[in-house]
Amino acid sequence: MNRILLTGGFGYIGSHTAAILSEINEEFMIFDDFSNCRENIVERLEKVIGKKISYVKGDIRDTSKLIKIIKNNKISSVLHFAALKSIQDSVNNPLKYYEVNVLGTISLLNAMQINGVKKFLFSSSASIYGEPKYLPIDENHPLMAINPYGETKLMIEKILRDLVKYDQNWSISCLRYFNPIGAHPSCLIGDDPISGKSQNLMPSLIDVAKGLKKNIDIYGNNYETKDGTGVRDYIHIMDLASAHVKALTHLKKSVGINIFNLGTGKGYSVMELIDTFENVTGIKISKKIIKRREGDVSSCYADPTKSNRVLEWKTKMDLNQMCSSAWKFSKNKN
Ligand code: NAD
Protein backbone atom coordinates (compact mmCIF):
# COMPACT_ATOMS: atom_id res chain seq x y z
CA MET A 1 0.00 0.00 0.00
CA ASN A 2 1.22 3.49 -0.84
CA ARG A 3 2.15 5.74 2.04
CA ILE A 4 2.20 9.43 2.80
CA LEU A 5 5.38 10.93 4.24
CA LEU A 6 4.94 13.64 6.89
CA THR A 7 8.11 15.66 7.42
CA GLY A 8 7.95 17.40 10.80
CA GLY A 9 5.02 15.13 11.59
CA PHE A 10 5.69 15.21 15.33
CA GLY A 11 5.28 18.99 15.49
CA TYR A 12 2.11 20.91 16.35
CA ILE A 13 0.33 20.87 12.99
CA GLY A 14 1.88 17.63 11.73
CA SER A 15 0.82 15.57 14.76
CA HIS A 16 -2.81 16.74 14.55
CA THR A 17 -2.83 16.00 10.82
CA ALA A 18 -1.39 12.52 11.53
CA ALA A 19 -4.23 11.91 14.01
CA ILE A 20 -6.84 12.78 11.38
CA LEU A 21 -5.11 10.75 8.64
CA SER A 22 -5.17 7.78 10.96
CA GLU A 23 -8.91 8.20 11.59
CA ILE A 24 -9.53 7.69 7.86
CA ASN A 25 -7.06 4.78 7.69
CA GLU A 26 -4.47 6.50 5.52
CA GLU A 27 -1.04 4.86 5.79
CA PHE A 28 1.67 7.34 6.74
CA MET A 29 5.15 7.61 8.15
CA ILE A 30 6.85 10.48 9.94
CA PHE A 31 10.28 11.98 9.33
CA ASP A 32 11.37 14.39 12.07
CA ASP A 33 14.65 15.42 13.67
CA PHE A 34 12.96 16.11 17.06
CA SER A 35 14.49 19.60 17.14
CA ASN A 36 11.16 21.16 18.16
CA CYS A 37 9.16 18.34 19.72
CA ARG A 38 9.53 16.23 22.81
CA GLU A 39 10.60 12.57 22.66
CA ASN A 40 7.35 11.56 24.40
CA ILE A 41 5.30 12.85 21.46
CA VAL A 42 5.68 9.38 19.87
CA GLU A 43 4.00 7.71 22.81
CA ARG A 44 1.29 10.39 23.07
CA LEU A 45 0.47 10.29 19.36
CA GLU A 46 0.41 6.48 19.45
CA LYS A 47 -2.15 6.70 22.27
CA VAL A 48 -4.27 9.08 20.20
CA ILE A 49 -4.29 6.87 17.11
CA GLY A 50 -4.30 3.56 18.98
CA LYS A 51 -1.40 1.92 17.14
CA LYS A 52 2.37 2.07 16.58
CA ILE A 53 3.69 4.84 14.39
CA SER A 54 6.21 4.24 11.68
CA TYR A 55 8.85 6.97 11.91
CA VAL A 56 12.47 7.87 11.21
CA LYS A 57 14.59 10.39 13.08
CA GLY A 58 16.41 12.52 10.54
CA ASP A 59 17.10 15.95 9.11
CA ILE A 60 15.43 17.04 5.86
CA ARG A 61 18.82 18.30 4.66
CA ASP A 62 19.98 14.65 4.54
CA THR A 63 19.00 13.95 0.93
CA SER A 64 20.45 10.43 0.73
CA LYS A 65 18.50 9.33 3.81
CA LEU A 66 15.31 10.74 2.31
CA ILE A 67 15.95 9.03 -1.04
CA LYS A 68 16.14 5.64 0.71
CA ILE A 69 13.09 6.26 2.89
CA ILE A 70 10.91 7.37 -0.03
CA LYS A 71 12.02 4.34 -2.07
CA ASN A 72 11.80 1.68 0.65
CA ASN A 73 8.42 2.76 2.00
CA LYS A 74 6.53 3.21 -1.27
CA ILE A 75 5.90 6.87 -0.51
CA SER A 76 3.36 8.35 -2.94
CA SER A 77 2.95 11.87 -1.58
CA VAL A 78 4.62 14.19 0.91
CA LEU A 79 3.17 16.62 3.46
CA HIS A 80 6.01 18.97 4.27
CA PHE A 81 5.65 20.52 7.75
CA ALA A 82 9.31 20.45 8.85
CA ALA A 83 10.72 23.95 9.23
CA LEU A 84 11.99 26.48 11.70
CA LYS A 85 9.16 28.89 12.48
CA SER A 86 10.09 31.63 14.95
CA ILE A 87 10.01 35.11 13.42
CA GLN A 88 12.29 36.57 16.11
CA ASP A 89 14.77 33.71 15.82
CA SER A 90 14.80 34.17 12.03
CA VAL A 91 15.73 37.83 12.49
CA ASN A 92 18.60 36.82 14.80
CA ASN A 93 19.72 33.83 12.72
CA PRO A 94 18.67 34.34 9.09
CA LEU A 95 21.22 31.90 7.64
CA LYS A 96 19.90 29.07 9.82
CA TYR A 97 16.40 29.73 8.45
CA TYR A 98 17.50 29.78 4.80
CA GLU A 99 19.51 26.63 5.38
CA VAL A 100 16.83 24.54 7.10
CA ASN A 101 13.74 25.89 5.39
CA VAL A 102 14.95 26.58 1.85
CA LEU A 103 17.85 24.12 1.44
CA GLY A 104 15.94 21.51 3.45
CA THR A 105 12.97 21.79 1.11
CA ILE A 106 15.21 21.55 -1.98
CA SER A 107 16.81 18.45 -0.50
CA LEU A 108 13.38 16.89 0.04
CA LEU A 109 12.17 17.82 -3.45
CA ASN A 110 15.33 16.29 -4.94
CA ALA A 111 14.76 13.06 -3.04
CA MET A 112 11.16 12.98 -4.27
CA GLN A 113 12.13 13.72 -7.87
CA ILE A 114 14.76 10.97 -7.94
CA ASN A 115 12.04 8.53 -6.87
CA GLY A 116 9.43 9.95 -9.27
CA VAL A 117 7.20 11.04 -6.38
CA LYS A 118 5.61 14.34 -7.36
CA LYS A 119 2.68 15.01 -5.06
CA PHE A 120 3.53 17.66 -2.50
CA LEU A 121 1.66 19.67 0.15
CA PHE A 122 3.62 22.60 1.49
CA SER A 123 3.05 24.36 4.83
CA SER A 124 3.16 27.99 3.82
CA SER A 125 2.14 30.98 5.89
CA ALA A 126 -0.09 34.04 5.80
CA SER A 127 2.96 36.00 6.91
CA ILE A 128 3.97 36.23 3.22
CA TYR A 129 1.13 38.70 2.61
CA GLY A 130 2.98 41.36 4.62
CA GLU A 131 1.02 44.51 5.47
CA PRO A 132 -2.49 43.89 4.07
CA LYS A 133 -3.48 46.08 1.13
CA TYR A 134 -7.11 45.00 1.57
CA LEU A 135 -9.17 42.70 3.81
CA PRO A 136 -10.10 39.92 3.87
CA ILE A 137 -6.96 38.60 2.20
CA ASP A 138 -7.52 36.30 -0.78
CA GLU A 139 -4.88 34.19 -2.52
CA ASN A 140 -4.28 36.91 -5.16
CA HIS A 141 -3.23 39.48 -2.56
CA PRO A 142 0.29 40.85 -3.32
CA LEU A 143 3.10 39.04 -1.52
CA MET A 144 5.78 40.68 0.55
CA ALA A 145 7.71 39.01 3.33
CA ILE A 146 8.81 41.28 6.14
CA ASN A 147 11.21 38.98 7.95
CA PRO A 148 13.62 36.14 7.04
CA TYR A 149 11.11 33.46 8.13
CA GLY A 150 8.46 34.82 5.75
CA GLU A 151 11.11 35.24 3.07
CA THR A 152 11.96 31.51 3.26
CA LYS A 153 8.28 30.63 2.73
CA LEU A 154 8.06 33.03 -0.20
CA MET A 155 11.26 31.62 -1.77
CA ILE A 156 9.97 28.07 -1.44
CA GLU A 157 6.68 29.01 -3.10
CA LYS A 158 8.70 30.52 -5.99
CA ILE A 159 10.79 27.35 -6.30
CA LEU A 160 7.61 25.26 -6.36
CA ARG A 161 6.12 27.46 -9.11
CA ASP A 162 9.21 26.86 -11.26
CA LEU A 163 9.12 23.17 -10.57
CA VAL A 164 5.59 22.75 -11.95
CA LYS A 165 6.24 25.20 -14.79
CA TYR A 166 8.90 22.96 -16.33
CA ASP A 167 7.59 19.55 -15.25
CA GLN A 168 3.86 19.18 -15.44
CA ASN A 169 3.90 15.86 -13.59
CA TRP A 170 4.19 17.68 -10.30
CA SER A 171 1.04 18.32 -8.33
CA ILE A 172 1.62 20.81 -5.55
CA SER A 173 -0.52 22.74 -3.09
CA CYS A 174 0.75 25.59 -0.93
CA LEU A 175 -1.40 25.91 2.19
CA ARG A 176 -1.15 29.39 3.64
CA TYR A 177 -1.98 28.99 7.31
CA PHE A 178 -3.36 31.85 9.37
CA ASN A 179 -3.11 31.47 13.20
CA PRO A 180 -3.66 27.93 14.47
CA ILE A 181 -4.44 27.54 18.17
CA GLY A 182 -6.13 24.89 20.31
CA ALA A 183 -5.51 21.18 20.77
CA HIS A 184 -6.77 17.67 19.99
CA PRO A 185 -9.90 16.65 21.97
CA SER A 186 -7.94 13.86 23.69
CA CYS A 187 -5.73 16.56 25.29
CA LEU A 188 -2.78 14.27 24.55
CA ILE A 189 -1.34 16.42 21.78
CA GLY A 190 -1.27 20.19 21.37
CA ASP A 191 1.13 23.08 20.91
CA ASP A 192 4.15 21.96 22.90
CA PRO A 193 7.34 23.39 21.40
CA ILE A 194 10.74 23.09 23.04
CA SER A 195 12.72 25.79 21.29
CA GLY A 196 12.85 28.73 23.67
CA LYS A 197 9.95 30.89 24.64
CA SER A 198 7.13 31.26 22.16
CA GLN A 199 6.13 34.83 21.40
CA ASN A 200 2.69 33.71 20.32
CA LEU A 201 -0.34 34.87 22.22
CA MET A 202 -1.85 31.54 23.30
CA PRO A 203 1.32 30.03 24.85
CA SER A 204 1.87 33.35 26.68
CA LEU A 205 -1.73 33.37 27.94
CA ILE A 206 -1.28 29.86 29.26
CA ASP A 207 1.94 30.84 31.03
CA VAL A 208 0.12 33.71 32.76
CA ALA A 209 -2.86 31.52 33.66
CA LYS A 210 -0.48 28.97 35.21
CA GLY A 211 1.32 31.67 37.17
CA LEU A 212 4.57 31.16 35.23
CA LYS A 213 4.43 34.73 33.96
CA LYS A 214 3.13 37.82 35.76
CA ASN A 215 1.21 39.40 32.93
CA ILE A 216 0.50 39.24 29.25
CA ASP A 217 2.24 41.84 27.09
CA ILE A 218 -0.09 43.50 24.60
CA TYR A 219 1.94 45.03 21.81
CA GLY A 220 0.05 48.25 21.14
CA ASN A 221 -3.55 49.32 21.75
CA ASN A 222 -3.64 52.15 19.24
CA TYR A 223 -4.18 50.23 16.01
CA GLU A 224 -7.14 51.15 13.84
CA THR A 225 -9.22 48.20 15.05
CA LYS A 226 -12.38 47.91 17.14
CA ASP A 227 -10.52 48.05 20.48
CA GLY A 228 -7.09 49.23 19.30
CA THR A 229 -5.38 45.83 19.62
CA GLY A 230 -4.21 43.73 16.65
CA VAL A 231 -6.73 41.53 14.84
CA ARG A 232 -5.88 38.01 13.65
CA ASP A 233 -7.63 35.03 12.08
CA TYR A 234 -7.39 32.30 14.73
CA ILE A 235 -8.18 28.82 13.44
CA HIS A 236 -8.72 25.68 15.53
CA ILE A 237 -5.91 23.20 14.98
CA MET A 238 -8.41 20.39 14.25
CA ASP A 239 -10.03 22.47 11.50
CA LEU A 240 -6.59 23.23 10.08
CA ALA A 241 -5.54 19.58 10.24
CA SER A 242 -8.73 18.42 8.52
CA ALA A 243 -7.99 20.75 5.60
CA HIS A 244 -4.89 18.65 4.85
CA VAL A 245 -7.02 15.58 4.20
CA LYS A 246 -9.14 17.58 1.76
CA ALA A 247 -6.03 19.06 0.14
CA LEU A 248 -4.56 15.59 -0.23
CA THR A 249 -7.69 14.35 -2.01
CA HIS A 250 -7.54 17.39 -4.28
CA LEU A 251 -3.83 16.79 -4.94
CA LYS A 252 -4.50 13.28 -6.18
CA LYS A 253 -6.79 14.52 -8.95
CA SER A 254 -4.99 17.73 -9.95
CA VAL A 255 -1.78 18.82 -11.64
CA GLY A 256 0.17 22.05 -11.41
CA ILE A 257 0.27 24.32 -8.40
CA ASN A 258 -2.62 25.47 -6.23
CA ILE A 259 -2.61 28.00 -3.43
CA PHE A 260 -5.11 27.86 -0.57
CA ASN A 261 -5.74 30.15 2.36
CA LEU A 262 -6.52 28.22 5.53
CA GLY A 263 -8.32 30.53 7.93
CA THR A 264 -11.82 31.08 9.24
CA GLY A 265 -12.41 34.43 7.54
CA LYS A 266 -13.11 36.04 10.92
CA GLY A 267 -10.78 38.42 12.70
CA TYR A 268 -10.58 38.59 16.49
CA SER A 269 -8.62 41.18 18.41
CA VAL A 270 -6.02 40.33 21.03
CA MET A 271 -8.42 41.70 23.66
CA GLU A 272 -11.28 39.50 22.41
CA LEU A 273 -9.07 36.43 22.55
CA ILE A 274 -8.01 37.26 26.12
CA ASP A 275 -11.65 37.88 27.16
CA THR A 276 -12.70 34.54 25.70
CA PHE A 277 -9.80 32.79 27.43
CA GLU A 278 -10.79 34.37 30.75
CA ASN A 279 -14.41 33.29 30.26
CA VAL A 280 -13.68 29.66 29.44
CA THR A 281 -11.01 29.19 32.11
CA GLY A 282 -12.45 31.43 34.83
CA ILE A 283 -8.95 32.84 35.33
CA LYS A 284 -8.30 36.57 35.34
CA ILE A 285 -5.37 37.51 33.11
CA SER A 286 -3.24 40.47 34.10
CA LYS A 287 -2.42 42.61 31.06
CA LYS A 288 0.30 45.11 30.27
CA ILE A 289 0.14 47.39 27.26
CA ILE A 290 3.57 47.95 25.74
CA LYS A 291 4.75 49.51 22.51
CA ARG A 292 3.99 48.03 19.12
CA ARG A 293 6.26 45.26 17.89
CA GLU A 294 8.13 45.94 14.67
CA GLY A 295 6.69 44.01 11.76
CA ASP A 296 3.28 43.44 13.38
CA VAL A 297 0.36 44.33 11.14
CA SER A 298 -2.84 45.87 12.45
CA SER A 299 -5.37 43.38 11.04
CA CYS A 300 -4.95 40.18 9.09
CA TYR A 301 -7.70 37.71 8.25
CA ALA A 302 -8.36 35.34 5.40
CA ASP A 303 -10.80 35.14 2.60
CA PRO A 304 -11.21 31.34 2.66
CA THR A 305 -13.74 31.24 -0.25
CA LYS A 306 -11.39 29.32 -2.55
CA SER A 307 -10.60 26.62 0.04
CA ASN A 308 -14.30 26.36 0.96
CA ARG A 309 -15.26 25.86 -2.67
CA VAL A 310 -12.39 23.87 -4.20
CA LEU A 311 -11.44 21.73 -1.20
CA GLU A 312 -15.02 21.47 0.05
CA TRP A 313 -13.71 22.39 3.46
CA LYS A 314 -15.10 24.69 6.12
CA THR A 315 -14.01 25.50 9.65
CA LYS A 316 -16.37 24.30 12.40
CA MET A 317 -14.82 25.36 15.69
CA ASP A 318 -15.22 28.71 17.45
CA LEU A 319 -12.96 30.79 19.66
CA ASN A 320 -14.36 29.21 22.86
CA GLN A 321 -13.38 25.75 21.63
CA MET A 322 -9.94 27.00 20.63
CA CYS A 323 -9.28 28.49 24.08
CA SER A 324 -10.76 25.66 26.13
CA SER A 325 -8.92 22.89 24.25
CA ALA A 326 -5.59 24.77 24.47
CA TRP A 327 -6.10 25.22 28.21
CA LYS A 328 -7.13 21.59 28.82
CA PHE A 329 -4.09 20.34 26.90
CA SER A 330 -1.73 22.59 28.85
CA LYS A 331 -3.10 21.26 32.15
CA ASN A 332 -2.92 17.67 30.97
CA LYS A 333 0.61 17.65 29.59
CA ASN A 334 2.54 17.95 32.84
P1 NAD B 1 6.55 22.78 14.88
O1 NAD B 1 7.85 23.41 15.20
O2 NAD B 1 5.65 22.41 15.99
O3 NAD B 1 6.77 21.48 13.98
C1 NAD B 1 7.83 21.38 13.07
C2 NAD B 1 8.44 19.98 13.22
O4 NAD B 1 9.52 19.88 12.28
C3 NAD B 1 9.02 19.74 14.61
O5 NAD B 1 8.56 18.49 15.09
C4 NAD B 1 10.54 19.73 14.39
O6 NAD B 1 11.19 18.83 15.25
C5 NAD B 1 10.64 19.31 12.94
N1 NAD B 1 11.84 19.83 12.25
C6 NAD B 1 12.37 21.07 12.31
N2 NAD B 1 13.47 21.14 11.56
C7 NAD B 1 13.65 19.91 10.99
C8 NAD B 1 14.61 19.37 10.11
N3 NAD B 1 15.66 20.09 9.68
N4 NAD B 1 14.48 18.08 9.72
C9 NAD B 1 13.43 17.34 10.17
N5 NAD B 1 12.50 17.79 11.02
C10 NAD B 1 12.60 19.08 11.42
O7 NAD B 1 5.80 23.76 13.85
P2 NAD B 1 4.26 23.77 13.43
O8 NAD B 1 3.59 24.87 14.14
O9 NAD B 1 3.72 22.40 13.47
O10 NAD B 1 4.44 24.25 11.92
C11 NAD B 1 4.49 23.32 10.85
C12 NAD B 1 4.71 24.08 9.57
O11 NAD B 1 3.69 25.07 9.42
C13 NAD B 1 6.02 24.85 9.52
O12 NAD B 1 6.51 24.76 8.21
C14 NAD B 1 5.62 26.27 9.84
O13 NAD B 1 6.50 27.20 9.25
C15 NAD B 1 4.25 26.34 9.20
N6 NAD B 1 3.37 27.36 9.81
C16 NAD B 1 3.08 27.30 11.14
C17 NAD B 1 2.23 28.27 11.71
C18 NAD B 1 1.90 28.23 13.18
O14 NAD B 1 1.38 29.23 13.70
N7 NAD B 1 2.14 27.15 13.91
C19 NAD B 1 1.71 29.28 10.92
C20 NAD B 1 2.03 29.32 9.56
C21 NAD B 1 2.86 28.33 9.01
Short mmCIF file of all heavy atoms in Angstrom, two decimals, residues 230-265:
data_model
loop_
_atom_site.label_atom_id
_atom_site.label_comp_id
_atom_site.label_asym_id
_atom_site.label_seq_id
_atom_site.Cartn_x
_atom_site.Cartn_y
_atom_site.Cartn_z
N GLY A 230 -4.35 44.41 17.95
CA GLY A 230 -4.21 43.73 16.65
C GLY A 230 -5.27 42.66 16.44
O GLY A 230 -5.69 41.98 17.38
N VAL A 231 -5.69 42.52 15.18
CA VAL A 231 -6.73 41.53 14.84
C VAL A 231 -6.12 40.42 13.99
O VAL A 231 -5.39 40.68 13.04
CB VAL A 231 -7.89 42.24 14.10
CG1 VAL A 231 -8.82 41.23 13.44
CG2 VAL A 231 -8.66 43.14 15.05
N ARG A 232 -6.41 39.17 14.38
CA ARG A 232 -5.88 38.01 13.65
C ARG A 232 -6.98 36.98 13.39
O ARG A 232 -7.99 36.95 14.09
CB ARG A 232 -4.78 37.30 14.48
CG ARG A 232 -3.55 38.12 14.73
CD ARG A 232 -2.72 38.33 13.47
NE ARG A 232 -1.57 39.19 13.71
CZ ARG A 232 -1.59 40.53 13.68
NH1 ARG A 232 -2.72 41.17 13.44
NH2 ARG A 232 -0.48 41.22 13.89
N ASP A 233 -6.70 36.11 12.44
CA ASP A 233 -7.63 35.03 12.08
C ASP A 233 -7.18 33.76 12.80
O ASP A 233 -6.29 33.04 12.32
CB ASP A 233 -7.59 34.86 10.56
CG ASP A 233 -8.65 33.90 10.05
OD1 ASP A 233 -9.12 33.05 10.83
OD2 ASP A 233 -9.00 34.01 8.86
N TYR A 234 -7.76 33.50 13.98
CA TYR A 234 -7.39 32.30 14.73
C TYR A 234 -8.20 31.11 14.20
O TYR A 234 -9.41 31.23 14.01
CB TYR A 234 -7.65 32.49 16.23
CG TYR A 234 -6.81 33.60 16.81
CD1 TYR A 234 -7.35 34.87 17.05
CD2 TYR A 234 -5.45 33.40 17.06
CE1 TYR A 234 -6.56 35.90 17.55
CE2 TYR A 234 -4.66 34.44 17.55
CZ TYR A 234 -5.22 35.67 17.79
OH TYR A 234 -4.43 36.69 18.27
N ILE A 235 -7.50 30.01 13.98
CA ILE A 235 -8.18 28.82 13.44
C ILE A 235 -7.88 27.63 14.35
O ILE A 235 -6.72 27.44 14.77
CB ILE A 235 -7.76 28.56 11.96
CG1 ILE A 235 -8.30 27.22 11.44
CG2 ILE A 235 -6.25 28.61 11.75
CD1 ILE A 235 -8.16 27.01 9.94
N HIS A 236 -8.92 26.85 14.66
CA HIS A 236 -8.72 25.68 15.53
C HIS A 236 -7.82 24.67 14.82
O HIS A 236 -8.02 24.38 13.64
CB HIS A 236 -10.08 25.05 15.86
CG HIS A 236 -10.01 24.11 17.03
ND1 HIS A 236 -9.30 22.93 17.00
CD2 HIS A 236 -10.56 24.19 18.27
CE1 HIS A 236 -9.42 22.31 18.17
NE2 HIS A 236 -10.17 23.07 18.97
N ILE A 237 -6.88 24.13 15.56
CA ILE A 237 -5.91 23.20 14.98
C ILE A 237 -6.59 21.99 14.31
O ILE A 237 -6.11 21.48 13.29
CB ILE A 237 -4.86 22.75 16.05
CG1 ILE A 237 -3.76 21.89 15.44
CG2 ILE A 237 -5.52 22.03 17.21
CD1 ILE A 237 -2.83 22.57 14.50
N MET A 238 -7.73 21.55 14.86
CA MET A 238 -8.41 20.39 14.25
C MET A 238 -9.02 20.77 12.90
O MET A 238 -9.05 19.95 11.98
CB MET A 238 -9.49 19.83 15.20
CG MET A 238 -8.94 19.24 16.48
SD MET A 238 -7.64 18.00 16.22
CE MET A 238 -8.61 16.65 15.57
N ASP A 239 -9.52 22.00 12.80
CA ASP A 239 -10.03 22.47 11.50
C ASP A 239 -8.88 22.56 10.50
O ASP A 239 -9.02 22.16 9.34
CB ASP A 239 -10.67 23.85 11.65
CG ASP A 239 -12.11 23.78 12.17
OD1 ASP A 239 -12.78 22.76 11.92
OD2 ASP A 239 -12.57 24.74 12.82
N LEU A 240 -7.75 23.08 10.97
CA LEU A 240 -6.59 23.23 10.08
C LEU A 240 -6.10 21.85 9.62
O LEU A 240 -5.84 21.63 8.43
CB LEU A 240 -5.46 23.97 10.79
CG LEU A 240 -4.26 24.29 9.91
CD1 LEU A 240 -4.54 25.46 8.98
CD2 LEU A 240 -3.03 24.63 10.74
N ALA A 241 -6.02 20.93 10.57
CA ALA A 241 -5.54 19.58 10.24
C ALA A 241 -6.48 18.91 9.24
O ALA A 241 -6.03 18.26 8.28
CB ALA A 241 -5.41 18.75 11.51
N SER A 242 -7.78 19.10 9.43
CA SER A 242 -8.73 18.42 8.52
C SER A 242 -8.62 18.96 7.10
O SER A 242 -8.89 18.24 6.14
CB SER A 242 -10.16 18.52 9.06
OG SER A 242 -10.62 19.83 8.89
N ALA A 243 -8.16 20.20 6.94
CA ALA A 243 -7.99 20.75 5.60
C ALA A 243 -6.92 19.97 4.82
O ALA A 243 -6.98 19.89 3.59
CB ALA A 243 -7.59 22.23 5.69
N HIS A 244 -5.95 19.39 5.54
CA HIS A 244 -4.89 18.65 4.85
C HIS A 244 -5.43 17.39 4.18
O HIS A 244 -4.94 16.97 3.14
CB HIS A 244 -3.77 18.28 5.83
CG HIS A 244 -3.00 19.48 6.30
ND1 HIS A 244 -3.51 20.36 7.23
CD2 HIS A 244 -1.79 19.98 5.94
CE1 HIS A 244 -2.63 21.33 7.43
NE2 HIS A 244 -1.59 21.12 6.66
N VAL A 245 -6.42 16.78 4.80
CA VAL A 245 -7.02 15.58 4.20
C VAL A 245 -7.73 15.98 2.91
O VAL A 245 -7.60 15.32 1.87
CB VAL A 245 -8.00 14.94 5.20
CG1 VAL A 245 -8.75 13.79 4.55
CG2 VAL A 245 -7.26 14.47 6.45
N LYS A 246 -8.44 17.09 2.96
CA LYS A 246 -9.14 17.58 1.76
C LYS A 246 -8.13 17.97 0.69
O LYS A 246 -8.33 17.68 -0.50
CB LYS A 246 -10.00 18.80 2.12
CG LYS A 246 -11.09 18.51 3.14
CD LYS A 246 -12.20 17.74 2.49
CE LYS A 246 -13.42 17.70 3.40
NZ LYS A 246 -14.56 17.06 2.74
N ALA A 247 -7.04 18.62 1.11
CA ALA A 247 -6.03 19.06 0.14
C ALA A 247 -5.34 17.86 -0.50
O ALA A 247 -4.98 17.89 -1.67
CB ALA A 247 -5.02 19.97 0.83
N LEU A 248 -5.19 16.81 0.27
CA LEU A 248 -4.56 15.59 -0.23
C LEU A 248 -5.44 14.94 -1.30
O LEU A 248 -4.97 14.49 -2.34
CB LEU A 248 -4.36 14.64 0.95
CG LEU A 248 -3.30 13.59 0.87
CD1 LEU A 248 -1.93 14.19 0.59
CD2 LEU A 248 -3.24 12.82 2.19
N THR A 249 -6.74 14.90 -1.04
CA THR A 249 -7.69 14.35 -2.01
C THR A 249 -7.64 15.17 -3.29
O THR A 249 -7.60 14.63 -4.40
CB THR A 249 -9.13 14.41 -1.43
OG1 THR A 249 -9.10 13.78 -0.16
CG2 THR A 249 -10.14 13.75 -2.33
N HIS A 250 -7.59 16.49 -3.13
CA HIS A 250 -7.54 17.39 -4.28
C HIS A 250 -6.24 17.18 -5.07
O HIS A 250 -6.23 17.16 -6.30
CB HIS A 250 -7.67 18.84 -3.81
CG HIS A 250 -7.64 19.82 -4.92
ND1 HIS A 250 -6.52 20.55 -5.24
CD2 HIS A 250 -8.57 20.18 -5.83
CE1 HIS A 250 -6.77 21.31 -6.28
NE2 HIS A 250 -8.01 21.12 -6.65
N LEU A 251 -5.15 16.98 -4.33
CA LEU A 251 -3.83 16.79 -4.94
C LEU A 251 -3.81 15.57 -5.86
O LEU A 251 -3.19 15.58 -6.92
CB LEU A 251 -2.82 16.58 -3.80
CG LEU A 251 -1.35 16.84 -4.02
CD1 LEU A 251 -1.11 18.31 -4.30
CD2 LEU A 251 -0.57 16.44 -2.77
N LYS A 252 -4.51 14.53 -5.43
CA LYS A 252 -4.50 13.28 -6.18
C LYS A 252 -5.15 13.44 -7.55
O LYS A 252 -4.84 12.72 -8.48
CB LYS A 252 -5.22 12.18 -5.39
CG LYS A 252 -4.38 11.66 -4.22
CD LYS A 252 -5.11 10.60 -3.42
CE LYS A 252 -4.35 10.27 -2.14
NZ LYS A 252 -5.18 9.66 -1.11
N LYS A 253 -6.09 14.39 -7.67
CA LYS A 253 -6.79 14.52 -8.95
C LYS A 253 -6.40 15.79 -9.71
O LYS A 253 -7.05 16.13 -10.68
CB LYS A 253 -8.31 14.43 -8.74
CG LYS A 253 -8.85 15.37 -7.70
CD LYS A 253 -10.33 15.16 -7.46
CE LYS A 253 -10.81 16.30 -6.57
NZ LYS A 253 -11.99 16.15 -5.87
N SER A 254 -5.34 16.48 -9.25
CA SER A 254 -4.99 17.73 -9.95
C SER A 254 -3.53 17.71 -10.37
O SER A 254 -2.73 16.93 -9.87
CB SER A 254 -5.26 18.92 -9.03
OG SER A 254 -4.42 18.85 -7.92
N VAL A 255 -3.19 18.61 -11.29
CA VAL A 255 -1.78 18.82 -11.64
C VAL A 255 -1.48 20.30 -11.49
O VAL A 255 -2.39 21.12 -11.35
CB VAL A 255 -1.44 18.36 -13.08
CG1 VAL A 255 -1.39 16.87 -13.19
CG2 VAL A 255 -2.41 18.99 -14.07
N GLY A 256 -0.20 20.64 -11.53
CA GLY A 256 0.17 22.05 -11.41
C GLY A 256 0.22 22.49 -9.97
O GLY A 256 0.30 21.66 -9.06
N ILE A 257 0.15 23.81 -9.77
CA ILE A 257 0.27 24.32 -8.40
C ILE A 257 -1.01 25.04 -7.99
O ILE A 257 -1.62 25.74 -8.80
CB ILE A 257 1.51 25.24 -8.26
CG1 ILE A 257 1.73 25.65 -6.79
CG2 ILE A 257 1.43 26.47 -9.15
CD1 ILE A 257 3.13 26.15 -6.49
N ASN A 258 -1.44 24.80 -6.77
CA ASN A 258 -2.62 25.47 -6.23
C ASN A 258 -2.26 26.12 -4.90
O ASN A 258 -1.49 25.57 -4.13
CB ASN A 258 -3.73 24.44 -5.99
CG ASN A 258 -4.49 24.16 -7.26
OD1 ASN A 258 -5.29 24.97 -7.70
ND2 ASN A 258 -4.19 23.01 -7.88
N ILE A 259 -2.86 27.27 -4.68
CA ILE A 259 -2.61 28.00 -3.43
C ILE A 259 -3.93 28.08 -2.66
O ILE A 259 -4.97 28.39 -3.26
CB ILE A 259 -2.17 29.46 -3.72
CG1 ILE A 259 -1.06 29.52 -4.78
CG2 ILE A 259 -1.78 30.18 -2.44
CD1 ILE A 259 0.28 29.05 -4.36
N PHE A 260 -3.88 27.78 -1.37
CA PHE A 260 -5.11 27.86 -0.57
C PHE A 260 -4.86 28.59 0.74
O PHE A 260 -3.92 28.27 1.47
CB PHE A 260 -5.62 26.45 -0.24
CG PHE A 260 -6.05 25.66 -1.43
CD1 PHE A 260 -5.28 24.60 -1.90
CD2 PHE A 260 -7.23 25.96 -2.10
CE1 PHE A 260 -5.67 23.86 -3.01
CE2 PHE A 260 -7.63 25.24 -3.21
CZ PHE A 260 -6.85 24.18 -3.66
N ASN A 261 -5.73 29.53 1.04
CA ASN A 261 -5.74 30.15 2.36
C ASN A 261 -6.44 29.22 3.35
O ASN A 261 -7.55 28.74 3.06
CB ASN A 261 -6.56 31.45 2.34
CG ASN A 261 -5.76 32.64 1.88
OD1 ASN A 261 -4.54 32.58 1.82
ND2 ASN A 261 -6.46 33.72 1.55
N LEU A 262 -5.83 28.99 4.50
CA LEU A 262 -6.52 28.22 5.53
C LEU A 262 -6.74 29.11 6.75
O LEU A 262 -5.84 29.31 7.57
CB LEU A 262 -5.74 26.96 5.90
CG LEU A 262 -5.56 25.94 4.76
CD1 LEU A 262 -4.83 24.70 5.26
CD2 LEU A 262 -6.90 25.53 4.13
N GLY A 263 -7.92 29.68 6.82
CA GLY A 263 -8.32 30.53 7.93
C GLY A 263 -9.83 30.46 8.05
O GLY A 263 -10.50 29.82 7.23
N THR A 264 -10.36 31.13 9.05
CA THR A 264 -11.82 31.08 9.24
C THR A 264 -12.53 32.18 8.46
O THR A 264 -13.73 32.09 8.19
CB THR A 264 -12.20 31.28 10.73
OG1 THR A 264 -11.79 32.60 11.12
CG2 THR A 264 -11.52 30.26 11.62
N GLY A 265 -11.78 33.26 8.17
CA GLY A 265 -12.41 34.43 7.54
C GLY A 265 -12.86 35.46 8.57
O GLY A 265 -13.33 36.53 8.22
#
